[in-house]
Amino acid sequence: MISSYTIVVKSLGKNLVIKLNVGGKIFLTTLTTLLNEKDTFFTNYFSDRFKPSCEVDGSYFIDRNYKYFEYILDHLRGKDLSKIVEEFTPGQLDDFAQEVAFYQIRSMYKLFNIKVLKRLKKLGVYLDEINTMPMFDANYCSNNATIIGNYKVKKHGITGWNCCILATHSEHFQIKLINKCEHLMVGMATKKVNLNGCNYNSCGWYYQAYRGNLFSQDGQQEAPFFNSPSYKPGTIIEVILKDNTLSFKVNHKDIGVAFRSLPNHDVLFPAFELFDQHCEFEFVDLDE
């Protein structure tokens, strides 16, 4: 079956220069660029179902603010917008995200942090296919731990540094401590971890709940940092990986940057070392 926008492409020509009037400003691009991604505003707009008609000047009118439209086009042209988006204020980021949602460019959602995605979801944007929290990875879970419903984990093995677990990729997440988390290590690591062994001095960068000290493969061993216990049930530990630095918050209090000059973010994953038997904690939404 031929899709409705394939019919339009044949009638208009895929290399046709398209003139778009977005909120009063003219943009020029090609039909191929606009149809670079499936199931977007543009694949519906330029379809046999919608049957778009142009204005007297040959433009196609879209009744939206044009402020961020150039970035929408640049993304469809293949440009990496991550550095540009990092410079946006929180208000600009929210406005930009709403434009991305209107045009239904789902590949752009990766530009936004979890808080922005959750705000979009509250506005009715369909994000069910996008996880706004990381999940524990069953492929990188110690034999001494059990994953409960994707977002919770509990250690069932004997006490000792014999239990490590990674989660799916996330650069900003938080956990809630449930039980026996005195010596829990929370941080980031590569997939080279020893799942049934000790990693805090050989693979990864960690904050320990017991005294708020730091451990890492770079030589930190009980390095003073927060200098306060943070292991009581109900405690929230937040982890933020940004610009190759790793920082933490405890119960929403910013306790600062713990590690600098970390590797490329793409190779790092949420990592946890569980020491105490029955240690249990879970991922929670950043809004909690």
Side-chain angles (χ1 to χ4, degrees):
M1 179 179 178
I2 300 176
S3 67
S4 57
Y5 70 83
T6 300
I7 297 171
V8 172
V9 168
K10 287 185 175 181
S11 64
L12 295 178
K14 66 178 181 179
N15 295 317
L16 177 71
V17 174
I18 298 290
K19 182 191 289 187
L20 298 174
N21 181 342
V22 182
K25 186 171 182 178
I26 299 297
F27 294 86
L28 298 179
T29 186
T30 65
L31 190 58
T32 298
T33 294
L34 294 176
L35 302 180
N36 256 345
E37 187 167 327
K38 294 180 180 179
D39 301 322
T40 69
F41 168 88
F42 301 109
T43 58
N44 285 309
Y45 187 81
F46 292 100
S47 71
D48 191 50
R49 292 189 301 272
F50 192 81
K51 296 181 180 178
S53 59
C54 56
E55 305 297 315
V56 175
D57 65 353
S59 66
Y60 294 91
F61 180 71
I62 301 175
D63 191 15
R64 297 292 291 184
N65 193 310
Y66 60 77
K67 184 175 180 180
Y68 297 104
F69 190 73
E70 63 178 300
Y71 300 124
I72 304 287
L73 279 184
D74 282 344
H75 173 80
L76 291 173
R77 290 166 176 152
K79 183 176 180 178
D80 182 2
L81 300 177
S82 55
K83 295 297 182 183
I84 294 172
V85 172
E86 285 178 4
E87 300 298 319
F88 286 174
T89 65
Q92 290 173 329
L93 193 62
D94 278 343
D95 290 343
F96 178 50
Q98 289 186 48
E99 292 305 300
V100 169
F102 174 81
Y103 292 108
Q104 303 165 51
I105 314 294
R106 295 183 64 80
S107 62
M108 297 184 76
Y109 290 158
K110 64 184 180 182
L111 294 169
F112 307 122
N113 59 44
I114 292 174
K115 287 186 176 180
V116 173
L117 291 175
K118 286 181 69 63
R119 284 195 286 271
L120 286 180
K121 199 166 186 176
K122 288 180 180 179
L123 292 173
V125 178
Y126 179 73
L127 295 175
D128 286 354
E129 296 176 14
I130 298 175
N131 291 321
T132 53
M133 285 194 303
M135 298 184 293
F136 290 110
D137 190 339
N139 294 316
Y140 288 89
C141 179
S142 169
N143 295 331
N144 296 311
T146 300
I147 298 172
I148 306 168
N150 293 326
Y151 301 106
K152 183 185 294 186
V153 69
K154 184 175 183 178
K155 182 176 180 181
H156 54 71
I158 62 173
T159 295
W161 295 116
N162 55 11
C163 183
C164 179
I165 183 169
L166 300 183
T168 55
H169 184 74
S170 176
E171 297 176 10
H172 190 187
F173 63 90
Q174 64 182 17
I175 61 169
K176 177 187 283 187
L177 310 188
I178 298 174
N179 185 46
K180 300 292 289 183
C181 293
E182 284 86 341
H183 299 91
L184 176 66
M185 299 272 190
V186 183
M188 304 291 288
T190 68
K191 290 186 174 180
K192 294 180 180 180
V193 292
N194 179 352
L195 296 176
N196 298 306
C198 177
N199 297 276
Y200 63 78
N201 60 0
S202 60
C203 184
W205 296 262
Y206 302 91
Y207 169 86
Q208 188 183 41
Y210 183 56
R211 291 199 180 105
N213 292 335
L214 303 179
F215 295 77
S216 82
Q217 65 183 54
D218 296 329
Q220 288 98 333
Q221 299 296 309
E222 291 192 275
F225 182 55
F226 187 40
N227 297 323
S228 179
S230 49
Y231 59 78
K232 292 182 179 179
T235 297
I236 301 288
I237 299 177
E238 186 173 342
V239 182
I240 305 158
L241 177 64
K242 184 177 181 181
D243 297 329
N244 302 101
T245 66
L246 189 61
S247 57
F248 295 88
K249 293 182 181 181
V250 174
N251 291 328
H252 309 297
K253 178 184 178 180
D254 189 351
I255 59 175
V257 174
F259 302 103
R260 301 180 186 276
S261 303
L262 269 65
N264 188 302
H265 294 194
D266 292 342
V267 302
L268 296 177
F269 298 83
F272 309 90
E273 291 233 78
L274 291 66
F275 179 84
D276 298 288
Q277 188 178 29
H278 306 307
C279 174
E280 184 177 4
F281 60 95
E282 64 183 345
F283 285 115
V284 291
D285 285 337
L286 286 170
D287 288 345
E288 184 165 327

